[in-house]
Amino acid sequence: MASRTPLIDSFGRHVDTVRVSVTDRCNLRCTYCMSEQMTFLPRAELLTLEELDRVCAAFVRRGVRHLRLTGGEPLMRRGIMDLVNSLSRHLREGTLDELTMTTNGVRLREFAGALAAAGMRRINVSLDSLDRTTFARIARSDCLDQVLDGIAAAREAGLKVKINTVALKRDNHADLPDLIQWAHERGMDITLIETMPMGAVDEDRTDQFISLTEVRQELQSFWTLTDLDERSSGPARYVRIAETGGRLGFITPLTHNFCESCRRVRLTCTGTLFMCLGQDSAVDLRTALRGDNGGDAALDAALDEAMQRKPKAHDFLLPVPGAAPAVSRHMSMTGG
Ligand code: SAM
Ligand code: SF4
């Protein structure tokens, strides 16, 4: 009999949120995320769409209420809508509260209607600059217009859009107030993210690192920020900006420890389950999936093991110039 036991780790945290990376491939090459000549995984190593569907169903059966598809770029995975449409059955059955996605938005115009029709209600779109040249420098691709059009298409389709922006000292630091204002004028929340030392990239991330404590102080010199109690299922802490009327989130893995309330695990596109973004401990679900002979016993045993091994906290350190990344895998493996 497949297990229905909730996923509770050894520190009593109830895991109800899973990020699933459906591909490590991407149509952009953001400088903080990937190197320009990125080597991608052989396709044979990826979980098939059927395996992704099965593992997500196992999570839902064990009490997971929030599923987020990410990558790499999820809209680059062939057959992504087959997966989304299949997963939407859990929404209809009431066993899942939300199915969401984090995307770079480049192909959103093509997919927005279908995502909304499948029952997706909100998505996160990454956008680091409204300036075409700056965007192209960060993403190594001149795609700003497509992303903005993708955001418009998502909103037209009725999806609630939240903007994610990585704060970069040299590239977009000065533009952050404009970006925040732009998002709020359109009724969108926006979350700022500190660069995390994940995977080798071509540049030294330390000279792009800017603490969000510093950014917050700057914003407070001309705006009124009020802390909000509300938390999403993600790690952001939110403030309301009186002057714009909008919500601004801060994700500060390096300067603020949010681990005590962490209810998330992350699945890579090869089926490795990471219990913490900033730690290497992992459980191999692909072997369990492929060895199960039609049942889910090995998969359930692997999930139980994962709960025993979820670490108490990550151990990212503040950046040291020239140091190797804190974890060797790229964010595109584990998903953001
Ligand atoms: N391609 C999609 C996108 O960009 O939204 C989904 C995957 S991407 C890895 C998810 C999020 O992780 C994005 O918001 C991206 O900006 C962020 N990200 C990637 N590498 C990061 C890093 N080293 N530090 C902080 N955030 C990072
Ligand atoms: Fe691609 Fe997203 Fe990484 Fe940018 S952040 S390279 S869009 S996976």
Side-chain angles (χ1 to χ4, degrees), residues 180-231:
I180 295 166
Q181 181 106 41
W182 174 88
H184 287 176
E185 274 167 11
R186 286 157 184 77
M188 297 186 284
D189 287 348
I190 174 167
T191 294
L192 305 180
I193 310 172
E194 277 173 357
T195 51
M196 290 177 245
M198 296 189 65
V201 291
D202 301 327
E203 53 178 48
D204 186 352
R205 283 195 193 84
T206 49
D207 52 71
Q208 282 279 28
F209 177 80
I210 170 138
S211 149
L212 290 184
T213 310
E214 195 179 325
V215 172
R216 186 183 165 138
Q217 276 162 2
E218 287 161 7
L219 298 177
Q220 284 182 152
S221 69
F222 47 87
W223 280 336
T224 317
L225 274 52
T226 310
D227 283 308
L228 297 174
D229 275 343
E230 56 211 80
R231 295 288 297 267

Side-chain angles (χ1 to χ4, degrees), residues 26 28-30 32-34 71-73 104 332:
C26 191
L28 302 184
R29 294 286 184 279
C30 304
Y32 50 79
C33 178
M34 293 189 182
E73 174 48 36
N104 61 28
S332 50

Side-chain angles (χ1 to χ4, degrees), residues 25-28 30 32-34 69-74 101-105 124-128 164-166 193-199 201 205 253 330-336:
R25 283 158 208 269
C26 191
N27 41 359
L28 302 184
C30 304
Y32 50 79
C33 178
M34 293 189 182
L69 304 180
T70 176
E73 174 48 36
M101 182 178 277
T102 302
T103 170
N104 61 28
N124 289 357
V125 181
S126 302
L127 176 65
D128 297 327
N164 277 348
T165 303
V166 175
I193 310 172
E194 277 173 357
T195 51
M196 290 177 245
M198 296 189 65
V201 291
R205 283 195 193 84
H330 289 86
M331 188 76 130
S332 50
M333 273 284 292
T334 349

